[in-house]
Amino acid sequence: MKKVLLLVLALGVGAAVAIGACGRRPIRAGQGDLLQLAQARGLTPEDAARALKTFVPPGGRDEYMLFASGGHSGQVHVIGVPSMRLLKTIAVFTPEPWQGYGYGADWSEGALNGESNPDPGEHLRWGDSHHPALSETDGKYDGRWLYINDRAHGRIGMVDLSDFRAKQVLHVPNLQTSHGGVFATPDTRYVHISSKVPALKAWNAAKGQRVTVDDHLNRYADIYRGYSTFIRVDQATGRMNLKESFQIELPPYTQDLADAGKGASYGYAFINSYNVEMATGGLAHGKPPLEVGASALDFDYLHIVNWKKAEEVVAAGKFTEINGIRVISLETAVAEGLLFLAPEPRSPHGVDIAPKGDYITVSGKLDPHATVYGFDRIQKAIAEQTFEGKDRYGIPILKFDAVVAGKVELGAGPLHTQYDGQGNAYTSLYLESAVAKWTLGEPYHPADQAFKVVDKVSIHYNIGHLATAQGDTMDPHGKYLIAMNKWSIDRHSNVGPLHPQNFQLIDISGPKMELVADMPVGFGEPHYAQMIKAETVKAHEVYDPGVSPASMTKSGDAIASEKEARIVRRPGVVEVWMSVVRSHFTPDIVNAKVGDKVIVHLTNVEQTPDATHGFAVPMKNVMVSLDPGETTTVEFTVDKPGSYSFYCTEFCSALHLEMQGWLIVEPK
Ligand code: RUQ
Ligand code: CUA
């Protein structure tokens, strides 16, 4: 009886408003009685309430968009919140067949091959997308661009949110790997990427570098280096410009998660590290396993980088160009006072700056605490030279007690922290499989209520990152929290030994956190995600006529209609300007000779939203999607005689199946 009453309460409000139900009558909705519907599906009143919290009616919109990395898939996934429906997959580091990203020798294949590839012959087709960074204006997401790194390499990609396509992949010099060191500065003047595993000094992928096992084991501290990189962003296009970027040389500690200072700490960057022991691995060489060697000391170091000052140092010419980027040496960084260390309990994980930029939360991973540093304390300690010493590279180490504003015991395995608009922090607890909610200090909460755990919720299982709505910006909304879990074990139908990843939606709008939905994620392991108010993103519905996604300007090869379609031949080359419209290609027969290079400039001359066509050529790995208005160019060589039927891959009209043509390759 009590259950039924609860269900009525849970279901009653919206339904009562909708149908004006009174107490006795069944609550009717559409064709069913809500109570009976819930009972028939075996839902508890709590389940039914959760369903109401997440349901988006057909044709409705989600309030937020979650941009989640796709891990080993090399992609980014766009998910609606609270419905947890997948809206789009954007390829960045791997080819993607629907839009033909990386197929057909078009601009996208060039983008995927990457800029400043140190080894241009090595066309990487796999990447491990990890940490997205949405562009910001005044410390708030502005919905223009998204940057994301490749864990396997020192690469960073740019996704243009005006059409949700990756436009640029940049190989960052001197990095071999990267991980969580990605963020946009609050004005997106720079995006940051740092090394993870240190690379051989001035690592050059094209030339390789001479090194022996003996060097590795015994000269590690001298021959390896980390780098913190500030990549300059063009404010009109979002493109990354290596020429105006700079790097700061770092010790070969393993630099890990990082975050941008903002508000009070604007101009600074904070980078965690582990393995300041510089353990080399090498069991067979009498060394401890890396995870043991890297945890020998009680402390690792938080790197505090004054990038505003670094910018001035570069402007003053105090840099060396290494592999195509301006690098401030460790010696210069120390001499100019732009790099400091602060001890952090051993092997920390996330470093996450509070909304006003005043607190820096470092999660313990192996330590059940979050250590909260005060930026005012850091500044004071630097000004007063409150150092406990220097590391072996001469970098001053700030006194731990002088810079710590608070410590809060959260539970086992704290990893990452996000914030809400009420001065609360939410930290993922990997080992405990939980999220802890706790309070920040002044000015968010009075001192006697600060740094206290106020709530906890269990998740399933082993949470890595979490994302609250705009939770790493100066304008956090709270409201929803996504737990990005590393294990799912028994949560979903059995699809074989490789289980789906699992996102869990948690309602954080009230004083108690409540788990409301699971979302099985059937792609590579997502890492970080950011959640943006959906209305902030203003993508085009169609491209203006003839626009190339590569440049977002009108292509010189665009045609206005099929009247301008043509074939031009010159020795060894057949060049086609082809119009694409429901439901034909013009020209629909293209003839070439064996050995010819075929260049096809395709224009989808439609301006109707969603009137996408495709262009696929058998046996050539050529496939592009042509979204309305788009012009793109594909190139391939024909080397065997025959008739090849190219076709439209999108079911674009009732005569879609008829939308095909022939490429006739005649003998020479
Ligand atoms: S790190 S699970 Cu790969 Cu983003 Cu913390
Ligand atoms: Cu165009 Cu199918």
Side-chain angles (χ1 to χ4, degrees):
M1 191 61 221
K2 195 168 161 222
K3 265 202 158 176
V4 170
L5 193 72
L6 271 173
L7 181 57
V8 171
L9 285 176
L11 297 177
V13 184
V17 170
I19 59 166
C22 72
R24 296 270 168 91
R25 271 193 295 154
I27 302 164
R28 301 201 63 80
Q31 299 166 21
D33 176 326
L34 281 182
L35 213 63
Q36 280 173 4
L37 279 178
Q39 282 168 344
R41 294 208 59 221
L43 301 177
T44 65
E46 292 79 11
D47 290 335
R50 291 182 191 118
L52 289 182
K53 283 182 178 182
T54 59
F55 181 68
V56 173
R61 299 285 189 278
D62 279 296
E63 187 180 358
Y64 290 94
M65 281 185 197
L66 184 77
F67 287 87
S69 73
H72 332 100
S73 75
Q75 302 166 331
V76 173
H77 301 282
V78 188
I79 295 159
V81 178
S83 74
M84 306 306 281
R85 297 175 300 179
L86 180 63
L87 295 170
K88 193 159 211 174
T89 291
I90 308 165
V92 183
F93 300 113
T94 53
E96 190 283 316
W98 186 16
Q99 278 199 303
Y101 179 78
Y103 296 96
D106 67 336
W107 67 270
S108 72
E109 200 164 323
L112 179 59
N113 288 342
E115 269 173 40
S116 81
N117 185 344
D119 203 351
E122 212 45 86
H123 287 163
L124 300 176
R125 285 294 177 269
W126 183 78
D128 189 1
S129 61
H130 261 243
H131 290 81
L134 285 161
S135 60
E136 295 182 13
T137 299
D138 298 329
K140 299 169 188 162
Y141 298 150
D142 57 25
R144 292 186 294 167
W145 311 298
L146 177 123
Y147 301 87
I148 190 159
N149 73 301
D150 168 14
R151 160 66 184 86
H153 307 96
R155 295 193 296 171
I156 183 161
M158 185 275 278
V159 174
D160 184 345
L161 295 182
S162 75
D163 61 357
F164 280 55
R165 292 168 99 162
K167 299 294 171 70
Q168 187 187 21
V169 171
L170 184 69
H171 293 252
V172 180
N174 305 319
L175 306 187
Q176 192 178 71
T177 61
S178 66
H179 182 222
V182 176
F183 58 72
T185 57
D187 45 11
T188 319
R189 182 173 172 80
Y190 296 101
V191 283
H192 179 267
I193 178 169
S194 42
S195 48
K196 179 179 168 68
V197 182
L200 292 171
K201 235 186 227 179
W203 162 253
N204 186 315
K207 297 195 197 108
Q209 244 145 310
R210 252 192 81 85
V211 63
T212 63
V213 172
D214 189 64
D215 293 333
H216 173 83
L217 293 174
N218 300 312
R219 297 177 51 230
Y220 189 95
D222 298 324
I223 64 173
Y224 286 96
R225 284 294 178 271
Y227 295 92
S228 157
T229 317
F230 289 82
I231 307 273
R232 187 64 174 270
V233 173
D234 181 293
Q235 294 305 302
T237 62
R239 284 183 180 262
M240 301 173 282
N241 179 341
L242 208 52
K243 282 274 156 294
E244 291 178 55
S245 306
F246 62 88
Q247 246 172 2
I248 302 160
E249 184 188 6
L250 299 175
Y253 310 145
T254 301
Q255 280 82 24
D256 202 19
L257 279 301
D259 201 1
K262 53 196 175 203
S265 52
Y266 177 79
Y268 281 79
F270 303 89
I271 311 172
N272 268 347
S273 67
Y274 61 90
N275 197 14
V276 303
E277 296 85 348
M278 295 183 279
T280 57
L283 274 171
H285 302 271
K287 301 273 186 180
L290 188 75
E291 76 271 23
V292 175
S295 309
L297 300 175
D298 287 338
F299 285 95
D300 286 292
Y301 296 129
L302 173 66
H303 297 42
I304 299 156
V305 178
N306 183 339
W307 64 258
K308 267 283 173 201
K309 196 172 240 177
E311 207 176 36
E312 290 163 20
V313 166
V314 170
K318 298 176 199 168
F319 64 83
T320 316
E321 191 166 315
I322 305 175
N323 292 323
I325 190 167
R326 300 175 296 180
V327 180
I328 300 174
S329 69
L330 247 178
E331 297 71 36
T332 304
V334 171
E336 298 285 337
L338 59 87
L339 177 62
F340 296 89
L341 303 173
E344 43 190 9
R346 89 156 77 107
S347 301
H349 198 62
V351 54
D352 299 286
I353 318 297
K356 295 182 199 302
D358 40 8
Y359 291 111
I360 299 131
T361 302
V362 170
S363 294
K365 192 168 79 178
L366 300 181
D367 171 326
H369 295 88
T371 307
V372 187
Y373 299 77
F375 184 68
D376 51 345
R377 289 166 193 257
I378 289 176
Q379 273 180 308
K380 188 157 179 280
I382 291 174
E384 295 173 2
Q385 307 207 341
T386 315
F387 303 147
E388 61 172 52
K390 292 181 174 176
D391 79 342
R392 69 181 277 164
Y393 302 94
I395 311 170
I397 304 167
L398 306 177
K399 262 214 171 87
F400 184 68
D401 292 336
V403 292
V404 172
K407 283 190 100 180
V408 48
E409 184 165 344
L410 299 172
L415 291 188
H416 295 282
T417 301
Q418 296 255 296
Y419 302 92
D420 68 13
Q422 272 84 50
N424 299 303
Y426 300 81
T427 301
S428 53
L429 302 173
Y430 178 85
L431 296 172
E432 194 174 319
S433 289
V435 173
K437 174 181 177 180
W438 53 280
T439 53
L440 289 165
E442 284 170 322
Y444 306 92
H445 289 282
D448 63 333
Q449 285 164 41
F451 307 122
K452 290 199 165 75
V453 174
V454 291
D455 192 25
K456 247 187 202 188
V457 66
S458 293
I459 59 82
H460 316 86
Y461 305 90
N462 298 86
I463 177 172
H465 277 274
L466 41 64
T468 58
Q470 316 208 139
D472 64 358
T473 71
M474 297 188 74
D475 179 30
H477 290 184
K479 218 160 175 172
Y480 297 112
L481 184 153
I482 313 291
M484 306 173 72
N485 305 335
K486 300 298 188 188
W487 294 59
S488 66
I489 308 181
D490 53 1
R491 300 295 287 183
H492 301 293
S493 300
N494 184 355
V495 290
L498 177 61
H499 293 207
Q501 300 281 317
N502 198 24
F503 282 1
Q504 291 188 303
L505 176 68
I506 296 165
D507 175 3
I508 57 167
S509 58
K512 290 292 290 172
M513 294 183 280
E514 189 197 3
L515 178 63
V516 289
D518 274 15
M519 178 194 180
V521 179
F523 41 78
E525 182 191 344
H527 291 262
Y528 188 34
Q530 290 178 319
M531 201 194 310
I532 178 175
K533 188 93 176 169
E535 66 197 28
T536 310
V537 182
K538 297 190 168 57
H540 301 306
E541 267 205 77
V542 299
Y543 292 104
D544 285 343
V547 161
S548 159
S551 62
M552 292 310 272
T553 57
K554 185 162 179 158
S555 163
D557 291 309
I559 55 177
S561 74
E562 56 197 60
K563 290 196 197 85
E564 294 175 23
R566 62 196 186 273
I567 302 178
V568 174
R569 291 165 208 286
R570 46 184 197 278
V573 178
V574 176
E575 191 164 4
V576 187
W577 283 263
M578 187 179 280
S579 84
V580 185
V581 69
R582 276 165 286 174
S583 300
H584 54 272
F585 296 101
T586 309
D588 61 347
I589 295 180
V590 174
N591 59 313
K593 290 248 187 303
V594 167
D596 279 351
K597 179 192 231 185
V598 179
I599 304 170
V600 190
H601 309 290
L602 298 135
T603 302
N604 178 346
V605 298
E606 307 218 29
Q607 284 287 296
T608 308
D610 207 17
T612 289
H613 301 280
F615 178 76
V617 184
M619 303 308 290
K620 284 288 151 199
N621 260 331
V622 168
M623 158 61 203
V624 286
S625 91
L626 294 147
D627 303 327
E630 176 175 346
T631 292
T632 206
T633 297
V634 298
E635 283 185 28
F636 52 96
T637 301
V638 287
D639 43 15
K640 287 174 203 73
S643 172
Y644 301 87
S645 74
F646 57 83
Y647 76 107
C648 168
T649 49
E650 289 278 328
F651 211 111
C652 53
S653 74
L655 295 172
H656 151 75
L657 290 168
E658 287 79 354
M659 192 166 171
Q660 63 171 83
W662 287 268
L663 168 67
I664 296 179
V665 183
E666 299 162 347
K668 235 184 172 143

